[in-house]
């Protein structure tokens, strides 16, 4: 799987975890040059507290377009620190 935004490869991996239709990319597969930590947080009733990244590059910004769970619930432990992207803003393809 590959995640691309504004012609930048954000992540690429053959080992994503699919949860609720979203591909969660392992931390080692991320290109962090385009990820900027966001203060935005949300709560999922079964996964826990989601933290977000803004995407930045070439003068463009997509706020809170990627998310991850640094301390997920036991039920979602397989996605700890894995990053997913909103497909409305990022092309996630095979």
């Amino acid at each position: 799987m590959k995640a691309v935004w504004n012609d930048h490869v954000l992540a690429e991996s053959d080992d994503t975890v699919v949860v609720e239709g979203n591909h969660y990319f392992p931390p080692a597969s991320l290109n962090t040059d385009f990820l900027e930590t966001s203060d935005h947080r949300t709560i999922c009733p079964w996964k826990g507290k989601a933290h977000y990244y803004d995407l930045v590059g070439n003068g463009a910004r997509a706020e809170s377009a990627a998310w991850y769970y640094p301390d997920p619930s036991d039920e979602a432990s397989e996605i700890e620190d894995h990053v997913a992207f909103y497909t409305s803003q990022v092309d996630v393809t095979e």
Side-chain angles (χ1 to χ4, degrees):
M1 295 300 297
K2 185 187 287 190
V4 178
W5 173 74
N6 283 355
D7 296 323
H8 302 296
V9 176
L10 303 175
E12 191 167 6
S13 177
D14 292 330
D15 192 28
T16 62
V17 178
V18 181
V19 176
E20 297 177 331
N22 295 301
H23 285 268
Y24 284 79
F25 289 81
S29 72
L30 300 173
N31 180 351
T32 58
D33 292 345
F34 303 102
L35 303 179
E36 185 176 287
T37 303
S38 168
D39 291 334
H40 186 63
R41 304 286 187 269
T42 58
I43 302 287
C44 172
W46 76 274
K47 292 186 294 264
K49 184 187 280 188
H51 293 232
Y52 288 78
Y53 289 115
D54 294 344
L55 308 179
V56 294
N58 296 340
R61 175 179 289 274
E63 293 187 6
S64 303
W67 72 94
Y68 65 101
Y69 293 87
D71 188 26
S73 67
D74 290 342
E75 295 83 7
S77 62
E78 66 185 347
I79 60 169
E80 183 175 346
D81 292 328
H82 285 51
V83 175
F85 300 93
Y86 282 111
T87 57
S88 60
Q89 299 180 58
V90 176
D91 292 325
V92 178
T93 57
E94 287 188 57

